[in-house]
């Protein structure tokens, strides 16, 4: 956000009205700065806003209000309406404009001295005076649109900050200079559309707050007798946002459904709330980036999966280009869906997804290739003697070796010039904080930056994905605490008290995200088993959540989707055009701007339905990409550019075409990686200072395609002819391995010597990685 000076952010507001105008009086936290915003009430259908640029004292502001009251005494004078904590935005349906205000807030955390709030209550207020209301303002359609907007409950899982750009990760805040209106245009600001009118008119963000939808939790924990703060943030993308069966896969712009960025921040506990060091790690979840659908059905709890072929996998490629722009390389994909089923559903998407990754990778140099890992988590969780969390933790450790995480030192100094007027994140590495009404400049100096990201998905990106994200968070928190010198070792055992605390964080996040997208809390069977909970109680809980999710998907999701479309501005009503609720699901994807959905388009009306469960259906304009097409290299060599450590860039996270700012932290002497898998000398020195042993190069994940073709289902063997066109026909399957903690081999005809691991080998992560790299060099595919 933009700021006026130091702590000069308007945080508290009072709304007054006369018959002809609204007066919004805003003040800062210290009550030293008062501002006035005027909104005309005599215009029935247009929005006219005027900002008074004068900075008032409290007494001057009271005198101004008294003069306004006296000047309007004949028409009722000046009346108090409500107190509030920021403007969410303005919206128009068929008649007048409305203003959305935050009328109650609750502090939920602090990051580097910046307070984070959740929305406690909001209010919708009509702008025009009743004497000039148009007739349409009283219409049934107008009232229904108002109910749709208000059904997006801002008091549930929406949060904001006046002084910290909470819509961006800590690393992006450090390395990206952009503030003010630019940050509102990012993919995680849900009121970008609602606040657009006032921001464009005033050319500032002084009066509005940027709302983030997702999850925020911060608590004080302890390890080895030392206290620290752990913050878990989930940011849900506003692009292609919606409910489970109405938003699936990827759209034509490369934006996926259920796109959520998860950030885990750790810092030591200090009396002034500004730590000396801080660490952050980011991971990502999102729907499988193929064009696929599931039509809502009240008769079928598991509707058909409909896959539309995408020539050259353009939308899939766009999605990964955007990920590379947001996070850099490598992009590591952890795919958790099923490999074999009695009736092929997930397995069909799994085969097509692997085929897409293989096709995209064929046109990329080795150091820019996507890293694809497949793990049938459902099958592994049923396998006796296999600890799924331990298995995922080993995967997470290897991924962290590739991506690293953010580690910063923090220095605080007094501001000499309090009138300079800096932003919340004014310059790279400079984050302003206010303590005891003194102006302080908090500078973050990065010692280590995260490069690349782990992208996890299952079919819904809810239940299995959340388990995998917890395992990654547990592996990361051990390293974070170690570099912050709060723990002697870089690992946290699964049965440690801290692991239970972290599991509670991720379980709550998983439930929250699942309710938002799926309509019920998450299925936490693996977490319950880890805690040793009674199996019968767990099963009854899972059954009830399944019923709740089915009811939400079948009966309430269509209206919920309409509400989201109205809130985000994807649908803008217009007189003479069909109302939103009169359009069927196919039309939702094929209509234009006025009285239409503005952003998300697709081709549902061209899709042929099938009544058989699990069939994969294609557009009549073409079939799936054939093997001969895979061999053609149509992929740009500039796809997914590598970002060396000495030139870290933090581009826009919304669109690939937005220019990338150079790294302001380039003064840090990071060395370019000398080879595809080598570790820089600077990196080695950094790890030695932290007490890590000598590291060797690893080929972990360095494959064109890492997928499975050898695992058979533990139930009946599926008819193999249905997968003739899968990537198994493209990639050699001469060797296959199982990444099982117990070294269990559930397929006949395999050599146990080649597949199994002894307990001592699995406990030694470095030995495991070297052996893994040796196997990778030999070719083949990987399945967990």
């Amino acid at each position: 956000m933009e700021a006026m000076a130091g702590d000069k952010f308007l945080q508290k507001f009072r709304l007054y009205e006369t018959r002809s105008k609204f007066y919004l009086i805003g003040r800062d936290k210290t009550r030293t700065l008062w501002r006035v915003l005027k909104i005309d009430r005599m215009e029935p259908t247009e929005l006219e806003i005027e900002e008074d640029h004068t900075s008032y004292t409290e007494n001057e502001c009271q005198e101004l209000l008294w003069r306004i009251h006296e000047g309007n005494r004949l028409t009722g004078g000046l009346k108090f309406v409500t107190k509030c904590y920021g403007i969410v935005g303005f919206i128009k349906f068929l008649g007048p404009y409305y203003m959305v205000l935050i009328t109650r807030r609750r502090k939920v955390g602090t990051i580097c001295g910046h307070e984070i709030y959740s929305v406690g209550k909001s209010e919708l207020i009509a702008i025009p005076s009743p004497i000039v209301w148009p007739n349409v303002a009283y219409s049934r359609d107008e009232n229904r649109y108002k109910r749709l907007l208000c059904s997006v409950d801002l008091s549930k899982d929406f949060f904001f900050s006046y002084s910290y750009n909470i819509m961006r990760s800590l690393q992006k805040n450090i390395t990206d200079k952009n503030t003010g209106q630019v940050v509102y245009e990012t993919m995680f600001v849900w009121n970008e559309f609602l606040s657009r009118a006032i921001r464009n008119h005033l050319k500032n963000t002084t009066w509005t707050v940027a709302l983030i939808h997702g999850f925020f939790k911060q608590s004080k924990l302890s390890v080895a007798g030392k206290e620290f703060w752990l913050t878990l943030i989930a940011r849900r993308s506003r692009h292609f946002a919606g409910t489970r069966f109405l938003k699936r896969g990827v759209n034509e712009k490369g934006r996926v459904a259920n796109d959520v960025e998860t950030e885990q921040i750790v810092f030591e506990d200090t009396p002034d709330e500004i730590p000396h060091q801080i660490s952050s790690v980011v991971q990502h979840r999102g729907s499988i980036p193929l064009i696929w659908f599931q039509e809502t059905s009240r008769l079928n709890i598991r509707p058909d999966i409909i896959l539309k072929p995408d020539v050259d996998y353009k939308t899939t490629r766009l999605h990964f280009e955007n990920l590379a722009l947001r996070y850099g390389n490598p992009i590591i994909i952890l795919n958790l869906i099923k490999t074999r089923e009695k009736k092929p559903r997930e397995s069909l998407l799994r085969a097509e997804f692997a085929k897409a990754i293989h096709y995209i990778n064929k046109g990329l140099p080795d150091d820019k290739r996507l890293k694809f890992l497949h793990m049938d988590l459902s099958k592994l969780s049923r396998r006796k003697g296999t600890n799924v969390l331990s298995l995922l933790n080993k995967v997470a450790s290897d991924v962290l070796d590739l991506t690293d995480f953010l580690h910063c030192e923090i220095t605080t100094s007094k501001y000499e010039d309090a009138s300079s007027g800096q932003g919340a994140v004014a310059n790279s590495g400079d984050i302003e904080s206010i303590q005891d009404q003194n102006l302080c400049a908090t500078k973050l100096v990065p010692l280590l930056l995260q490069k690349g990201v782990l992208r996890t998905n299952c079919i819904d990106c809810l239940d299995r994905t959340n388990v995998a994200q917890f395992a990654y968070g547990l592996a990361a928190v051990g390293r974070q605490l170690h570099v912050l010198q709060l723990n002697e070792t870089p690992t946290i055992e699964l049965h440690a008290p801290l692991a239970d605390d972290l599991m509670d964080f991720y379980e709550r996040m998983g439930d929250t995200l699942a309710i938002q997208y799926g309509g019920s809390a998450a299925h936490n069977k693996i977490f319950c088993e880890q805690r040793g909970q009674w199996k019968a109680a767990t099963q009854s809980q899972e059954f009830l959540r399944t019923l709740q999710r089915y009811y939400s998907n079948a009966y309430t999701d269509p209206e919920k989707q309409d509400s989201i479309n109205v809130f985000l501005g994807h649908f803008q009503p217009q007189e003479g055009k069909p109302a939103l609720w009169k359009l069927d699901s196919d039309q939702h994807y094929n209509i234009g701007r006025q009285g239409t959905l503005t952003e998300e388009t697709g081709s549902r009306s061209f899709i042929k339905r099938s009544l058989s469960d699990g069939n994969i259906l294609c557009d009549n304009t073409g079939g799936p990409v054939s093997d001969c097409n895979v061999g053609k290299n149509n992929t740009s060599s500039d796809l997914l550019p590598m970002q060396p450590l000495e030139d870290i860039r933090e581009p826009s996270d919304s669109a690939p075409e937005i220019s990338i700012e150079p790294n302001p932290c380039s003064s840090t002497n990071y060395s370019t990686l000398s080879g595809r898998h080598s570790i820089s000398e600077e990196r080695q020195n950094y790890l030695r200072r932290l007490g890590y042993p000598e590291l060797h190069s690893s080929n972990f994940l360095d494959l064109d395609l890492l997928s499975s073709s050898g695992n058979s289902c533990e139930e009946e063997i599926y008819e193999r002819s249905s997968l003739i066109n899968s990537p198994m026909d493209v990639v050699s399957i001469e060797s296959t391995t199982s990444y099982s903690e117990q070294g269990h081999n559930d397929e006949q005809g395999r050599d146990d010597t080649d597949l199994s691991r002894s307990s001592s080998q699995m406990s030694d992560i470095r030995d495991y990685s070297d052996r893994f790299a040796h196997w990778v060099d030999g070719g083949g595919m990987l399945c967990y």
Side-chain angles (χ1 to χ4, degrees):
M1 293 179 60
E2 287 183 348
M4 281 159 279
D7 60 342
K8 306 303 182 182
F9 296 93
L10 300 184
Q11 296 194 20
K12 294 187 178 181
F13 305 83
R14 294 176 70 88
L15 183 65
Y16 299 87
E17 67 174 357
T18 64
R19 190 172 68 172
S20 61
K21 290 184 184 295
F22 275 123
Y23 294 89
L24 187 63
I25 311 299
R27 68 170 177 86
D28 66 340
K29 187 176 182 179
T30 61
R31 304 178 72 94
T32 59
L33 176 71
W34 299 72
R35 298 288 298 275
V36 179
L37 185 71
K38 305 172 188 178
I39 305 172
D40 184 27
R41 301 189 68 202
M42 301 309 292
E43 176 56 55
T45 59
E46 298 299 326
L47 182 63
E48 294 187 6
I49 304 174
E50 180 183 354
E51 182 180 25
D52 186 346
H53 295 283
T54 305
S55 296
Y56 297 92
T57 64
E58 185 171 3
N59 291 335
E60 291 171 342
C61 193
Q62 290 177 354
E63 182 179 349
L64 174 64
L65 292 176
W66 175 253
R67 291 200 304 268
I68 294 173
H69 174 70
E70 289 297 315
N72 291 272
R73 185 178 292 274
L74 295 179
T75 57
L78 184 69
K79 299 176 182 178
F80 172 74
V81 180
T82 184
K83 66 178 181 179
C84 57
Y85 299 94
I87 298 176
V88 175
F90 296 84
I91 190 169
K92 176 182 177 179
F93 304 120
L94 300 173
Y97 268 91
Y98 300 88
M99 176 169 53
V100 184
L101 299 175
I102 297 172
T103 56
R104 190 178 301 165
R105 69 181 184 184
R106 182 172 64 91
K107 182 179 175 181
V108 293
T110 303
I111 300 176
C112 294
H114 299 272
E115 295 172 333
I116 313 298
Y117 297 93
S118 66
V119 178
K121 186 179 179 181
S122 62
E123 189 171 344
L124 182 69
I125 299 175
I127 298 297
S129 176
I131 62 175
V132 298
W133 269 35
N135 292 333
V136 72
Y138 301 97
S139 68
R140 182 177 300 177
D141 285 356
E142 181 79 4
N143 290 329
R144 187 165 180 178
Y145 280 122
K146 287 166 62 178
R147 288 197 300 270
L148 280 176
L149 180 73
C150 293
S151 65
V152 177
D153 191 352
L154 298 184
S155 66
K156 293 183 178 179
D157 314 319
F158 283 87
F159 51 95
F160 65 95
S161 176
Y162 298 104
S163 57
Y164 179 75
N165 290 328
I166 190 67
M167 74 291 294
R168 303 191 299 191
S169 67
L170 183 62
Q171 178 165 317
K172 189 172 288 290
N173 273 327
I174 293 172
T175 58
D176 193 342
K177 296 179 181 180
N178 293 323
T179 58
Q181 296 222 50
V182 175
V183 298
Y184 272 77
E185 298 168 2
T186 58
M187 62 192 298
F188 300 118
V189 178
W190 270 58
N191 61 326
E192 187 277 333
F193 166 73
L194 292 179
S195 62
R196 190 183 301 164
I198 183 174
R199 288 185 292 108
N200 290 343
H201 182 75
L202 301 181
K203 307 301 181 184
N204 64 53
T205 59
T206 301
W207 301 89
T208 57
V209 296
L211 287 184
I212 314 305
H213 187 37
F215 176 82
F216 185 98
K217 179 176 173 59
Q218 184 178 80
S219 291
K220 185 187 294 185
L221 304 176
S222 64
V223 61
K226 300 176 182 178
E227 293 185 332
F228 66 95
W229 288 92
L230 189 140
T231 307
L232 188 63
I233 307 172
R235 304 176 180 94
R236 180 176 294 281
S237 172
R238 62 182 169 88
H239 298 316
F240 207 47
T243 57
R244 184 184 178 205
F245 287 143
L246 297 177
K247 293 293 181 180
R248 289 294 216 190
V250 64
N251 68 3
E252 78 287 349
K253 296 182 180 180
R255 295 162 176 167
V256 295
N258 199 18
D259 188 328
V260 180
E261 176 185 274
T262 301
E263 182 178 18
Q264 180 175 289
I265 302 175
V266 178
F267 56 89
E268 57 191 330
D269 183 35
T270 56
D272 59 359
E273 296 186 341
I274 300 182
H276 304 296
Q277 295 184 85
I278 191 169
S279 178
S280 165
V281 66
V282 172
Q283 54 180 318
H284 175 268
R285 73 169 72 184
S287 187
I288 297 172
L290 302 170
I291 302 178
W292 63 283
F293 311 100
Q294 279 183 286
E295 294 288 353
T296 305
S297 171
R298 296 184 180 182
L299 302 177
N300 186 0
I301 198 170
R302 302 177 68 193
D304 298 342
I305 290 178
I306 306 169
L307 179 64
K308 178 186 175 184
D310 182 15
V311 178
D312 297 332
Y313 299 104
K314 293 180 181 178
T315 57
T316 306
R317 190 185 320 125
L318 280 175
H319 171 68
F320 287 113
E321 284 178 342
N322 180 259
L323 278 186
L325 283 170
R326 285 158 59 184
Y327 304 110
N329 281 299
I331 304 297
I332 302 165
I333 306 155
L334 180 57
N335 185 32
L336 303 175
I337 60 179
K338 296 177 181 177
T339 305
R340 289 285 187 270
E341 300 166 288
K342 296 178 183 179
K343 292 183 178 180
R345 300 176 69 258
E346 293 186 17
S347 56
L348 297 173
L349 287 177
R350 177 257 176 198
E352 189 70 10
F353 191 19
K355 193 173 184 179
I357 300 302
H358 177 64
Y359 179 79
I360 292 172
N361 276 343
K362 287 181 71 68
L364 298 176
D366 293 344
D367 59 349
K368 297 179 182 179
R369 289 178 176 174
L370 303 171
K371 317 298 182 183
F372 186 81
L373 294 171
H374 176 73
M375 174 186 287
D376 188 341
L377 196 64
S378 178
K379 176 182 176 181
L380 288 172
S381 64
R382 297 192 302 268
R383 180 183 293 171
K384 292 183 179 180
T386 299
N387 188 323
V388 173
L389 289 176
S390 178
L391 191 61
L392 287 167
N393 192 262
K394 291 181 173 66
V395 175
S397 295
D398 283 308
V399 172
L400 283 166
D401 286 340
L402 292 175
T403 63
D404 288 323
F405 52 91
L406 176 69
H407 175 208
C408 293
E409 285 184 350
I410 302 177
T411 59
T412 304
S413 59
K414 294 286 185 179
Y415 240 178
E416 296 180 0
D417 182 8
S419 62
S420 58
Q422 300 295 320
V425 184
N427 294 312
S428 173
D430 294 339
I431 298 181
E432 291 181 4
S433 298
I434 307 304
Q435 298 294 323
D436 300 326
Q437 301 183 12
N438 293 323
L439 296 175
C440 298
T442 301
K443 186 173 184 179
L444 280 74
V445 180
L447 303 177
L448 183 67
L449 293 173
Q450 179 174 342
K451 54 185 187 301
V453 73
L454 173 66
R455 184 199 193 277
T456 307
N457 72 267
C458 52
I459 196 70
D460 295 318
C461 300
L462 296 177
D463 311 318
R464 288 168 283 182
T465 296
N466 202 60
V467 173
Q469 289 207 328
F470 159 71
Y472 185 78
L474 182 63
V477 76
R479 301 188 183 208
Q480 290 176 290
L481 293 171
H482 185 59
V483 299
L484 297 178
Q485 300 177 353
L486 297 175
N487 197 29
E488 294 182 356
T489 62
T491 57
I492 302 294
E493 297 297 328
L494 272 173
H495 297 285
L498 179 57
D500 292 336
D501 294 334
L502 189 68
M503 186 182 295
D504 179 67
F505 269 71
Y506 277 86
E507 186 172 16
R508 292 192 182 188
M509 180 186 74
D511 288 342
T512 300
L513 297 179
I515 291 171
Q516 293 167 8
Y517 180 68
S520 76
H523 294 287
N524 295 315
K525 179 181 177 182
I526 294 177
F527 288 160
C528 293
E529 291 176 350
Q530 179 67 21
R531 296 192 184 100
Q533 295 181 8
W534 187 30
K535 187 175 182 180
T538 301
Q539 290 175 339
S540 62
Q541 173 183 280
E542 298 298 291
F543 177 71
L544 291 175
R545 291 183 176 182
T546 298
L547 290 181
Q548 182 183 2
R549 190 172 293 184
Y550 162 73
Y551 178 83
S552 296
N553 298 158
Y555 295 94
T556 65
D557 276 2
E559 185 169 343
K560 184 178 178 181
Q561 184 67 59
D562 288 345
S563 301
I564 293 173
N565 289 337
V566 169
F567 186 89
L568 295 176
H570 296 332
F571 182 92
Q572 299 177 34
Q574 186 186 33
E575 284 192 88
K577 299 290 185 178
L580 179 60
W581 46 87
K582 294 181 180 179
L583 304 174
D584 59 36
S585 61
D586 289 345
Q587 288 174 302
H588 282 199
Y589 285 81
N590 292 284
I591 47 186
R593 183 182 185 280
Q594 299 292 339
T596 61
L597 289 176
T598 60
E599 182 168 343
E600 319 302 349
T601 60
S603 304
R604 283 197 176 189
S605 59
F606 299 105
I607 298 172
K608 297 180 180 179
R609 288 300 312 275
S610 170
L611 299 180
S612 61
D613 180 46
N615 284 345
I616 181 170
L617 306 178
C618 301
D619 191 320
N620 55 10
T621 60
V625 178
S626 64
D627 294 347
C628 60
N629 289 335
V630 173
K632 298 178 181 179
N633 179 12
N634 296 326
T635 310
S636 171
S637 60
D638 295 329
L639 178 67
L640 306 171
M642 185 66 175
Q643 294 177 313
L645 279 178
E646 91 273 9
D647 188 24
I648 296 291
R649 298 176 184 269
E650 289 294 338
S652 165
D653 55 7
S654 182
E657 62 269 20
I658 296 178
S659 62
I660 302 174
E661 293 291 335
N663 174 29
C665 303
S666 59
S667 58
T668 307
N669 292 325
Y670 291 109
S671 301
T672 307
L673 296 178
S674 58
R676 283 175 52 193
H677 315 293
S678 63
I679 300 175
S680 68
E681 183 178 354
E682 186 72 21
R683 167 73 172 142
Q684 287 276 18
N685 293 334
Y686 172 80
L687 293 175
R688 289 194 197 100
R689 291 200 302 272
L690 299 177
Y692 281 95
E694 186 77 17
L695 298 180
H696 305 285
S697 62
S698 171
N699 282 336
F700 179 59
L701 299 177
D702 186 16
L703 285 176
D704 293 354
L705 173 66
L706 293 180
S707 65
S708 169
S709 63
N711 278 358
S712 61
C713 188
E714 290 181 334
E715 301 95 359
E716 291 92 343
I717 298 178
Y718 162 62
E719 177 94 17
R720 297 184 183 274
S721 61
S722 63
L723 292 179
I724 290 177
N725 289 326
S726 75
M728 306 168 202
D729 300 324
V730 182
V731 183
S732 169
I733 54 173
E734 294 178 353
S735 60
T736 328
T737 190
S738 175
Y739 190 7
S740 169
E741 185 185 44
Q742 303 296 326
H744 177 71
N745 182 11
D746 61 345
E747 295 188 24
Q748 297 180 354
R750 293 198 178 182
D751 187 351
D752 292 340
T753 305
D754 294 336
L755 299 178
S756 62
R757 304 259 190 228
S758 67
S759 59
S760 61
Q761 288 173 325
M762 296 305 293
S763 64
D764 187 344
I765 296 178
R766 292 261 53 85
D767 178 64
Y768 145 75
S769 297
D770 291 339
R771 295 179 56 135
F772 185 91
H774 178 73
W775 175 82
V776 166
D777 287 335
M781 298 181 293
L782 174 66
C783 171
Y784 296 130

